Each structure stands twice: as C-alpha cells, then as structure tokens.
Amino acid sequence: MSLNMFSLEGKTAVVTGANTGLGQGICVAYAQAGANVIGVARRSCQETADKIAAFSGNFTEVIADLSDVSLIPHIVEEAGKAYGRVDILVNNAGIIKRCDAADVTMEDWDSVININEKMVFFLSQAFAKTWLADGKGGKIINIASMLSYQGGIRVPAYTASKSAVMGVTKAMANEWAGHNINVNAIAPGYMATNNTENLRKDGQRSEEILSRIPAGRWGTPEDIAGAAIFLASDAAAYVHGFTLAVDGGWLAR
Ligand code: NAP
C-alpha cells in the first residue's frame, strides 16, 4: 500500500466558509496535501491565503453570500476558471443561532436552514451535475455535527439542519456512488472556533461539555484535517454516505 493514495496533488478543491475556523483549517490541510484550493466566503480570506502562501500552496477566493442560492451558478463558474476542473467540494459554511425553543422565530429558522441545509444540497447538486456530465467523478464532504445525532439544547434549527445534512449525505451517495462520486460527511465534536465562542464563554455549559469529552479538551481546526484529507482522497474511493465523527470520543459516551 502506498501513502500516495492520500495525496491531493493535482486536484482542485472548493471549500465554503474558508475565511476562518474549520473551513480555514481544511483549506490549509488540502493545500499541504497538494491540492489547488478555492475558498468561498462572504468576506476576504486573506488570513487563509497568507497561511497557504507561507508554504507556496495554491489558493484563490470566490466571494459569495452562501445564504443566496441564486449565486450557485456564479460560484461554479468562478471556481472552474481558477484551476480548471473541480474535483472536491467541502460544504463547511454554517451558522448557529442559540435561543430557547419557545422563542425561535421563523426568520431565524429559515436563515439557519438556508445556509446549513438548502445551500449544502443545491451547491452539491450543481457540482455533481458537472461530474455526471464529464463522467470523471468527484468528492463531496459535508460538515455535519454532534447534533446530526443528538438534540442539543437551545439550537433547534441548527439540530434540524445538521440532522438533514447527515440524511442528505446518504441520499446523495445512494444516487451518485455508481458515478464515482463519493458523498460523505464529517461530524466535528466541540471545536474551539467562532461557532462555539458563546458556549465557551458560558462557564456552566462550557464545564458540562468539557467534562463529557473523553479526550478532555475542545477540538481544533487541525483535528479534522486528517479526516478531511482522507475523504477527499483516492483512499476513500469505496466510502459512500458515511458521517465520520471527529469528536474526542463524545459519541462514545
Ligand atoms: P465559524 O468559525 O463560525 O465558521 C463558519 C463559517 O461559515 C465562516 O467562514 C462563516 O463566514 C461562514 N458563513 C456563515 N454564513 C455565511 C454566509 N451567509 N455566506 C458565506 N459564508 C458564511 O465556525 P466553524 O466551527 O468553523 O464552523 C464550520 C462548520 O463546522 C459549520 O458548518 C459548523 O456548523 C460546523 N461545526 C462546528 C462545530 C464546532 O464545535 N465549532 C461543531 C460541529 C459542526 P463569516 O466569518 O463571514 O461569518
């Protein structure tokens, strides 16, 4: 067996939410593994670009608000212009709104579902159409959550969206696996990013969470690099529809 099967040399990856957190970590990991990386974000990805430039990797950004599905053709077109054919899509961008279930507004519900669920499916569909047309396959990696498995507290729209991500990952895999398109997901545990900033500031919740993580610490963007590279690589050729938890053991409890 050769470790070359994990290489992303010569491949091109699109990563949404590339300016910070887990998306930035995945961009850097992919570039280190040899991929050309296209970061999609609603603001500049300069910090990500600088990290990748430090080791002379390839990175280009496409600015787009991922709450707007009408921008999908623009994203696909701009991504195609950067390095030629796109081989890998990581649907990472996502939002969370914390609120008692009794007080959740329909506006907040729709904004979470639009980005975390609707965009994930339709951006995947758009890239998959290009792969179905040229017959050369591709890889889709969706970022799910512990709340793809559990209910969570004060985040019902987020739980709905991330449960849907795990379900639609399987649904897409069932239709496209025969076309050499691998659709899988990563379910990060509790990671120290902007997404969990308020949670980590809440002394009691932070303590409850930390004491339940067998690894005894919050995760970092570097912690999901290995899973993200694996699922994007030839090594995952026969892996379809699975959600891989990278959670410090959270689900094992
Ligand atoms: P983060 O730092 O808040 O990153 C979220 C990313 O999504 C940011 O790049 C953000 O851009 C982008 N985004 C949000 N709304 C957008 C929009 N309308 N248009 C374009 N980009 C938008 O948090 P993170 O932890 O890295 O989150 C990445 C993914 O991991 C999310 O799907 C999240 O649900 C998931 N996740 C995180 C954890 C965790 O513990 N941190 C656990 C499980 C799953 P801006 O910077 O412009 O807002």
Side-chain angles (χ1 to χ4, degrees):
M1 189 201 82
S2 161
L3 285 179
N4 281 346
M5 66 166 63
F6 293 96
S7 170
L8 301 183
E9 205 67 52
K11 300 200 168 152
T12 295
V14 169
V15 180
T16 68
N19 56 304
T20 187
L22 303 184
Q24 181 178 79
I26 294 168
C27 287
V28 172
Y30 279 5
Q32 282 171 336
N36 304 312
V37 181
I38 299 156
V40 183
R42 59 181 160 179
R43 66 184 94 238
S44 163
C45 299
Q46 194 54 49
E47 193 179 273
T48 308
D50 290 345
K51 282 177 184 255
I52 292 174
F55 55 87
S56 304
N58 291 326
F59 179 81
T60 302
E61 68 183 24
V62 173
I63 300 296
D65 183 339
L66 291 162
S67 63
D68 184 355
V69 286
S70 77
L71 293 177
I72 289 173
H74 167 73
I75 296 169
V76 174
E77 192 183 330
E78 290 302 307
K81 281 184 199 162
Y83 305 103
R85 185 182 194 276
V86 170
D87 306 287
I88 300 155
L89 168 66
V90 180
N91 287 302
N92 163 78
I95 58 171
I96 190 163
K97 291 193 185 276
R98 295 179 197 283
C99 178
D100 290 346
D103 298 325
V104 172
T105 64
M106 290 191 193
E107 191 185 9
D108 279 355
W109 180 275
D110 286 345
S111 67
V112 171
I113 298 295
N114 269 340
I115 295 169
N116 293 12
E117 181 181 334
K118 188 173 178 184
M119 180 55 89
V120 168
F121 176 75
F122 284 102
L123 192 59
S124 300
Q125 181 198 59
F127 279 102
K129 277 184 180 177
T130 70
W131 298 337
L132 292 168
D134 73 13
K136 293 181 183 166
K139 309 268 190 216
I140 296 172
I141 295 130
N142 299 320
I143 302 303
S145 166
M146 293 298 96
L147 303 189
S148 304
Y149 302 90
Q150 301 175 318
I153 299 170
R154 303 188 70 241
V155 288
Y158 185 81
T159 303
S161 70
K162 292 298 186 178
S163 299
V165 165
M166 188 159 80
V168 85
T169 294
K170 292 186 265 196
M172 292 190 283
N174 287 339
E175 291 204 34
W176 299 334
H179 298 274
N180 209 18
I181 297 172
N182 299 78
V183 189
N184 291 291
I186 295 171
Y190 287 82
M191 320 297 274
T193 65
N194 296 341
N195 174 289
T196 52
E197 195 180 349
N198 290 340
L199 206 51
R200 283 177 290 120
K201 279 186 190 153
D202 178 337
Q204 193 194 336
R205 285 285 290 130
S206 175
E207 181 49 39
E208 279 168 12
I209 288 167
L210 202 51
S211 65
R212 195 194 177 285
I213 302 173
R217 64 172 177 85
W218 290 75
T220 67
E222 291 74 30
D223 283 320
I224 65 164
I229 290 172
F230 165 60
L231 290 175
S233 73
D234 293 344
Y238 201 59
V239 181
H240 290 284
F242 195 68
T243 297
L244 175 56
V246 180
D247 64 351
W250 177 273
L251 289 178
R253 287 286 292 264

